């Protein structure tokens, strides 16, 4: 039940190019902590890596609404 751990593992999967697995971990991180801007940002990057720009844009907007450093 530790959102940061899921985010970190998502980052490891993303680094390995395993974007769907990364997104699953970012999903869990945002479920555990709906205000975790960094997880939304990271999930958005994974969506961009998959060419899913609508999802990318939505996650970027959410991250920005939570923390202006992601704007």
């Amino acid at each position: 039940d530790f959102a940061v751990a899921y985010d970190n593992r998502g980052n490891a999967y993303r680094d390995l190019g395993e974007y769907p697995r990364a997104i699953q971990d970012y999903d869990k991180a945002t479920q555990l902590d709906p205000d975790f801007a960094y997880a939304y940002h990271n999930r958005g990057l994974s969506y961009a890596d998959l060419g899913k720009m609508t999802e990318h844009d939505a996650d970027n907007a959410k991250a920005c609404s939570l923390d202006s450093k992601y704007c």
Side-chain angles (χ1 to χ4, degrees):
D1 293 339
F2 188 47
V4 173
Y6 283 99
D7 183 70
N8 286 338
R9 189 170 71 178
N11 291 339
Y13 284 137
R14 184 169 177 266
D15 288 344
L16 293 171
E18 296 184 26
Y19 308 117
R21 290 181 80 179
I23 290 168
Q24 288 177 339
D25 279 345
Y26 299 136
D27 287 345
K28 184 66 174 180
T30 59
Q31 289 170 357
L32 292 171
D33 183 356
D35 295 327
F36 191 8
Y38 192 50
Y40 289 101
H41 170 76
N42 287 332
R43 187 173 67 185
L45 294 175
S46 290
Y47 279 129
D49 290 329
L50 292 171
K52 296 183 175 188
M53 299 313 292
T54 300
E55 293 88 343
H56 165 266
D57 293 345
D59 276 344
N60 274 357
K62 180 67 175 181
C64 178
S65 74
L66 295 169
D67 189 330
S68 63
K69 73 180 173 186
Y70 297 110
C71 296

